[in-house]
Amino acid sequence: MGFVVSIIGIAALFSGCSPKKEVGGFGDAAEKVYVAPGSYDEFYAFMSGGFSGQVSVYGLPSGRLFRVIPVFSVDPEKGYGYSEETKPLLMTSHGFVPWDDAHHPQLSVTDGQSDGRWLFINGNNTPRIARMDLTTFETVETIEIPNSGGNHGSPFLTPNNEYVVASTRFSVPIPQQDVSISSFKENFKGTISFISVDSVSGRMKIAFQILVPGINYDLSRSGKGPSHGWSFFSSYNSEQANTQLEVNASKNDKDFVAAINWKLAEELIAQGKGQDWTASHYHNYMDDADVGQSEVLNSVKVLVAKDHPGLMYYLPTPKSPHGCDIDPSGEYIVAGGKLAALIPVHSFSKFKKAAEASDFEGEFDGIPIVKYESVIAGEVKDPGLGPLHTEFDGQGFGYTSMFLSSEIVKWKIGTWEVVDRIPTYYSIGHLMIPGGDTKQPYGKYVVALNKITKDRYLPTGPELTQSAQLIDITGDKMKLLLDFPTIGEPHYAQALPATMIKDRSVRWYPIAENKNPFAIKAENESRIERDGKTVHVYMSTIRTHFVPDNIEGIKVGDKVYFHVTNLEQDWDVPHGFSVMGATTSELLVMPGQTRTLLWEPKMAGVIPFYCTDFCSALHQEMQGWIRVSS
Amino acid sequence: MNLGRTVSRMISLAGLLACGWLMGGCSSTPETDAERQARWQQGNLTSWEIQHGIGPVVEDIQLAAVDNALAERGKAIFVQKCATCHYLDMKKTGPPLRDVTKRRSAEYVMNQILNPEQMGKMHPDGRQLVAQYAQFMTIQGITRDNTLELLDFLRSEAGNPPAPMEQQPGFGTPPPPPTADAK
Ligand SMILES: [Cu+2]
């Protein structure tokens, strides 16, 4: 407790010295983050938008925001989730769900290294996984995860994009049923899902699910090197409490890291050991014509963990662990016990030996618990308060975020001694080192992803921006370089060298290859077609006009589809399209692309439409009218 | 050129001179955009550039007689990519083009199509057109071979009498849709 007191003492000291000068930072920090006008950043950083349901793209070291990629949330800026082409991406078995809580971006990997092809992220609330294409920075696929009560521990990739791994955060009755909540122990279960990723197209499919004991599964990493073929999940609430969890789920000294042998699971599935469970779920993807498609799938293969010896083990882990991270060698499994006074590090080789020797201290709901002493490689003692997540620099050090004491602690792999610490402002959750979860981290920086910024920025009412902090890790001492505001909650982030993506970035879509069934390839193909009460307007757009720009013959009660094709073949010239009173949003149409707006006129009159994206000196003239008759 | 006919090319004296002066002896490194921009700011456009435009075409182009097959291909490109902004006989987003090959050299037309931004910013006539039409010509992914096809189409139209609006290539303002009760 002496430590807590001293922390409070330091806090008091801080608030005592006012007016406060820069907290953190050092002399030549500005030089280290300065990216001259017209120059490029060294890294792309992809940050989760947390409860904004989006991903934001920043440059490092400048901290400049480049783009927000809408994933699970509709985005009027880009017409995402409003256009007929993109609406299907937000379909679920619960209907159209235009929001989610997106937590853990994960870059695709080949041989355990980022390959710059795709970015995955989870939807926590309505369990989903999304895939973004990094040539276009657009969401191209979403898949719903059935039999899940909250998709937090995901998406964590196996070393060659074989699987996206996803665990259920909240256990629930699986399959769902109407039971008393107090029957948690008998009826509630968790699942761990392995979603296969096609190595060419990236297309996802739920390969199998594993039914596991009903506790909370929090975060995960997949093994690599010697631990390839395994996935590890931190878990808590081994008490299986169902009320007042802040008390009742923190009683046990140790919870678990769950280890799953997915190679064995693959074999069991191949042997036909998977049960076919009815589980309706949506799979949504942009097809070859760049049009969103939804398919409903009705079953999944399920393996019941306790029926298959060797498939799953529990590693005792103090206390209420949150993060679960694997070092670059693949030997060490680091769990951040958020209520623990130490950071436990498990050894994969010791675990394997113990599992083979059945060196167990008991079992939990049919799953063997390996002896703590037999798997623990070491403990980082007195690291700080509230250890959460660990990333690695590739130089033999781990960096762990400390939520309660708001700091990053650097420790040495092998000796487990703390070698450096730096304050963060404030309440750091995840932290990120470019490539910090891969076999060969790029090192150089650690980014702190903070929940609170009290007094760091100009106030903006009751809610202040959340923030990221860039810290130099090239020397013995960590040095704070920069903090910058972020969108939503920057929950977790990943980064890779800009060169891996930059030159493959798509500049425009060749109009000749536009396969949208409503596309037009030239202005003289523009036309209006009526089919009963449905009207299709095949519209072209180019600097600085629409064709057609006078539309008559529309009636109140019609369903009018504006299929807008942008005929430009030049970089950075999207056009917008908006109609007065439309209840959706504008469309933003990339060069060579077609997007469709549905409009249902409610009253007679003449309604203007215009381009929303400034395109030229005659942008203001880029407009037209629709006559609506009753 | 895989265009079914020969396009002979000669490096003109002016071109040679310009080239030598610019790049210190016609080395293989082409002038960068920034270098060209700097030269333009110093008022150093060559007379060849004034006459034939600024862009990737730096040599004289000798055109043979109009080839109908090429002109047909040129018309298709015109309809798809040029007619968004040009009629032959009246102003649209850009100027009418029926007689452009009479007003301008082949090299100039090619450079205008292939390098519209620098033509609009750095060439005196290009600047004047941008001022008049309030916009730059757009890049439409037209290749150098395409420009030769377009030239043959435009040459085949040059000197013909003006056509009515609905006969302009690419003209396609759609008719109003039938009323709701029509179906
Ligand atoms: Cu526009």
Side-chain angles (χ1 to χ4, degrees), chain A residues 541-543 574-576 611-615 619 622:
Chain A
T541 173
I542 195 163
R543 283 162 284 178
H575 289 288
C611 171
T612 50
D613 189 357
F614 191 96
C615 53
H619 166 71
M622 199 165 168

Side-chain angles (χ1 to χ4, degrees), chain A residues 104-144:
Chain A
H104 308 114
Q106 171 102 46
L107 291 159
S108 57
V109 278
T110 299
D111 193 23
Q113 292 292 117
S114 297
D115 59 25
R117 299 177 73 192
W118 306 302
L119 181 71
F120 297 85
I121 198 165
N122 60 329
N124 192 11
N125 183 60
T126 304
R128 287 176 278 182
I129 300 285
R131 180 171 59 91
M132 283 149 269
D133 182 331
L134 293 182
T135 63
T136 58
F137 286 59
E138 286 181 359
T139 302
V140 291
E141 187 177 8
T142 56
I143 190 165
E144 189 180 8

Side-chain angles (χ1 to χ4, degrees), chain A residues 26-46:
Chain A
F26 70 104
D28 57 349
E31 210 173 285
K32 297 210 168 189
V33 302
Y34 182 68
V35 178
S39 300
Y40 294 133
D41 277 283
E42 185 181 354
F43 293 99
Y44 281 104
F46 298 92

Side-chain angles (χ1 to χ4, degrees), chain B residues 30-93:
Chain B
E31 190 177 24
T32 66
D33 286 359
E35 283 163 356
R36 181 178 277 159
Q37 181 87 23
R39 188 159 60 79
W40 170 75
Q41 273 167 345
Q42 292 151 21
N44 285 342
L45 285 191
T46 65
S47 59
W48 194 93
E49 284 171 318
I50 298 292
Q51 195 188 343
H52 299 302
I54 305 164
V57 181
V58 294
E59 75 282 8
D60 286 351
I61 303 289
Q62 302 265 309
L63 296 177
V66 170
D67 177 318
N68 287 332
L70 279 190
E72 273 305 304
R73 293 219 288 277
K75 181 174 184 176
I77 294 164
F78 187 93
V79 166
Q80 188 169 69
K81 299 189 166 180
C82 310
T84 48
C85 299
H86 296 279
Y87 294 129
L88 288 180
D89 297 307
M90 59 198 92
K91 284 184 178 179
K92 195 179 178 186
T93 309

Side-chain angles (χ1 to χ4, degrees), chain A residues 279-323:
Chain A
S280 175
H281 59 286
Y282 270 70
H283 175 220
N284 312 309
Y285 55 92
M286 298 305 282
D287 67 10
D288 293 343
D290 192 31
V291 176
Q293 301 294 342
S294 290
E295 60 178 356
V296 184
L297 302 165
N298 289 308
S299 73
V300 286
K301 293 266 183 220
V302 176
L303 291 168
V304 179
K306 64 180 176 192
D307 295 348
H308 301 286
L311 183 58
M312 179 174 182
Y313 299 91
Y314 282 127
L315 285 55
T317 303
K319 174 181 187 174
S320 298
H322 186 61

